[in-house]
């Protein structure tokens, strides 16, 4: 037994069909079992006195039956009484019936079990004392009616009654401890789940913040690279030379021709004056791309004619360069492709793009950008 005050568990819900089924089962079983014990005991009484027992004993059995019947009928619904003062009082009252009624013994066992679930030392002592006192009074009355003298058998019966009383109390203690332990384990598991969920949310949030920082850093680095590329694009190859203009495109073609390269520049839907009036970065980018494609053609297709077309359509300005794919061994020089990748990057910096590759026996480079 324990003397530590425990928080009582809540009473079963009166709205639950399952709890009502349990209450009904407790009533029916205790009533049937109590009736069986009563009949057995009364039969033994009749046999003992050859069917003519003393009237006093008949009177005691007359009290036993209704008291026990009432106790067994109410023991089921009493499970809905909330733990507290009234709960303790009514179950102590039912427990005291065991001293007066054989029929009420099953109900008494259930009442003692419920008191044991409370795990209160004061309730345990009160139940044992009450059952012992009532049983002693009943045994003394039975002995007086029978005309027997008090003997050690009476004390033995009293001891047996105390032990029998403590059995359901102890079972109730064990079940109450088990119930409290399970509830504690459930609370700890729920608390652990909450802590784990909180930690997981914090970890996800931290990972999200870290990812955001990485994205911001990558974006900053990309912006720096693009800015650096734009600045490099706006410069010419000569240190102090001015930025490229529309005539610069013709100058590039002219230099290529002076070096023996056959290059033809065609204007389609756009004139040099249009470029002069447009954004200077577009002219500079076109000049660098033209320089790259003429250099690429001179390196990989020497002696072949290079046709360059500047055109304007669908809000885009395009530069297309075509030259035949040479069949001579000189054309087999390995290329890293960095120059054409540079063409593509320059076009993309202005919101455009570039494509290149062989189409049959013609190698073609096309770069376009918004106009």
């Amino acid at each position: 037994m324990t003397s530590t005050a425990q928080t009582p568990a809540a009473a079963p819900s009166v709205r639950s069909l399952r709890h009502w089924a349990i209450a009904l089962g407790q009533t029916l079983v205790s009533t049937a079992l109590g009736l069986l014990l009563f009949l057995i005991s009364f039969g033994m009484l009749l046999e003992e006195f050859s069917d003519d027992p003393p009237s006093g004993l008949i009177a005691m059995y007359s009290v036993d039956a209704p008291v026990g019947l009432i106790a067994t009928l109410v023991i089921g619904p009493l499970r809905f009484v909330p733990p507290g003062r009234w709960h303790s009082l009514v179950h102590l009252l039912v427990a005291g019936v065991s001293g007066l009624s054989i029929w009420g013994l099953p109900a008494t066992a259930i009442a003692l079990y419920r008191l044991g679930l409370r795990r209160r030392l004061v309730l345990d002592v009160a139940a044992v004392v009450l059952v012992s006192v009532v049983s002693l009074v009943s045994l003394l009355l039975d002995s007086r009616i029978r005309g027997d003298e008090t003997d050690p058998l009476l004390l033995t019966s009293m001891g047996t009654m105390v032990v029998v009383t403590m059995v359901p109390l102890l079972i109730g203690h064990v079940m109450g401890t088990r119930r409290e332990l399970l509830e504690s384990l459930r609370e700890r598991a729920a608390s652990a789940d909450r802590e784990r969920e909180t930690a997981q949310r914090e970890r996800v949030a931290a990972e999200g913040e870290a990812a955001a920082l990485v994205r911001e850093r990558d974006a900053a680095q990309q912006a720096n690279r693009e800015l650096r590329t734009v600045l490099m694009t706006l410069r010419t190859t000569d240190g102090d030379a001015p930025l490229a203009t529309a005539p610069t495109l013709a100058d590039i073609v002219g230099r290529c021709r002076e070096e023996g390269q056959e290059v033809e520049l065609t204007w389609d839907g756009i004139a040099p004056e249009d470029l002069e009036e447009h954004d200077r970065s577009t002219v500079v980018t076109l000049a660098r791309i033209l320089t790259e494609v003429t250099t690429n053609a001179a390196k990989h297709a020497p002696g072949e004619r290079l046709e360059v077309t500047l055109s304007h359509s669908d809000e885009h300005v395009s530069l297309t360069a075509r030259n035949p794919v040479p069949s001579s061994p000189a054309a087999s020089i390995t290329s890293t492709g960095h120059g054409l990748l540079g063409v593509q990057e320059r076009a993309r910096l202005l919101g455009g793009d570039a494509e290149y590759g062989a189409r049959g026996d013609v190698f073609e480079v096309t770069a376009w950008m918004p106009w």
Side-chain angles (χ1 to χ4, degrees):
M1 298 182 185
T2 177
S3 60
T4 304
Q6 304 292 334
T7 301
S13 173
V14 295
R15 299 182 179 180
S16 172
L17 293 178
R18 173 178 173 272
H19 291 309
W20 274 108
I22 294 174
L24 179 61
Q26 290 175 341
T27 292
L28 293 178
V29 171
S30 60
T31 300
L33 185 59
L35 175 61
L36 178 62
L37 294 175
F38 176 83
L39 293 176
I40 293 174
S41 177
F42 189 69
M44 293 174 63
L45 177 67
L46 294 177
E47 182 180 1
E48 180 182 357
F49 290 97
S50 301
D51 296 334
D52 188 21
S55 58
L57 295 180
I58 296 295
M60 290 183 64
Y61 275 89
S62 298
V63 175
D64 184 311
V67 171
L69 178 60
I70 294 174
T72 55
L73 290 177
V74 301
I75 192 61
L78 285 180
R79 72 190 312 267
F80 296 108
V81 178
R85 181 177 300 176
W86 282 106
H87 179 279
S88 303
L89 181 61
V90 295
H91 284 86
L92 282 173
L93 182 61
V94 173
V97 171
S98 63
L100 299 175
S101 174
I102 297 175
W103 194 323
L105 286 177
T108 298
I110 296 177
L112 292 171
Y113 169 79
R114 292 176 184 170
L115 290 172
L117 288 175
R118 300 285 303 280
R119 303 173 64 208
R120 301 284 185 87
L121 179 61
V122 63
L123 293 179
D124 298 337
V125 173
V128 172
V129 171
L130 179 61
V131 172
S132 300
V133 170
V134 175
S135 298
L136 178 60
V137 172
S138 179
L139 289 174
L140 289 175
L141 182 60
D142 182 90
S143 297
R144 183 177 295 274
I145 294 174
R146 293 172 182 269
D148 298 335
E149 296 181 358
T150 303
D151 54 19
L153 182 60
L154 180 63
L155 298 177
T156 303
S157 300
M158 284 296 303
T160 302
M161 182 61 68
V162 171
V163 173
V164 172
T165 301
M166 293 182 62
V167 170
L169 282 173
L170 292 176
I171 295 176
H173 270 262
V174 172
M175 296 304 296
T177 302
R178 177 179 178 274
R179 181 182 299 175
E180 182 180 358
L181 178 60
L182 291 177
E183 184 64 26
S184 176
L185 292 176
R186 280 193 291 266
E187 291 179 358
R188 290 182 182 180
S191 177
D193 289 339
R194 289 193 296 269
E195 292 177 358
R196 183 167 56 254
E197 291 176 359
T198 301
Q200 185 175 1
R201 287 195 296 268
E202 292 177 351
R203 183 172 65 254
V204 170
E207 292 175 354
E209 293 177 358
L213 291 175
V214 171
R215 288 193 298 270
E216 292 176 1
R217 183 176 60 192
D218 293 346
Q221 293 175 351
Q222 180 67 19
N224 289 334
R225 286 195 297 269
E226 293 179 357
L227 178 60
R228 187 163 54 249
T229 303
V230 170
L231 294 177
M232 293 176 63
T233 302
L234 295 178
R235 297 193 185 100
T236 61
T237 53
D238 298 330
D240 297 327
L243 293 176
T245 61
T248 304
L249 301 176
D251 294 339
I252 295 173
V253 173
R255 285 197 301 270
C256 291
R257 290 173 177 172
E258 291 176 358
E259 295 173 358
Q261 186 178 7
E262 186 178 357
V263 180
E264 184 68 26
L265 176 61
T266 303
W267 298 77
D268 181 13
I270 189 172
E273 294 78 12
D274 298 329
L275 284 178
E276 289 293 337
E277 297 174 358
H278 201 63
D279 184 15
R280 179 58 61 85
S281 61
T282 302
V283 181
V284 173
T285 300
L286 289 172
R288 298 306 300 270
I289 293 176
L290 180 58
T291 300
E292 181 60 41
V293 297
T294 55
T295 302
N296 190 70
K299 180 179 180 181
H300 299 288
E304 300 292 345
R305 178 183 176 83
L306 175 65
E307 296 179 355
V308 181
T309 302
L310 277 173
S311 61
H312 171 255
S313 62
D314 297 333
E315 300 182 354
H316 285 85
V317 60
S318 302
L319 185 151
T320 303
R322 300 182 181 89
N323 60 266
V325 177
S327 58
S328 62
S332 63
I333 301 176
T334 303
S335 172
T336 62
H338 290 169
L340 295 178
L341 288 176
V343 169
Q344 192 174 51
E345 290 176 358
R346 292 178 188 280
R348 288 177 176 176
L349 285 174
L350 295 184
D353 207 342
E355 295 179 349
Y356 52 87
R359 292 176 173 79
D361 57 354
V362 176
F363 188 84
E364 181 176 295
V365 179
T366 302
W368 65 90
M369 59 207 70
W371 180 253

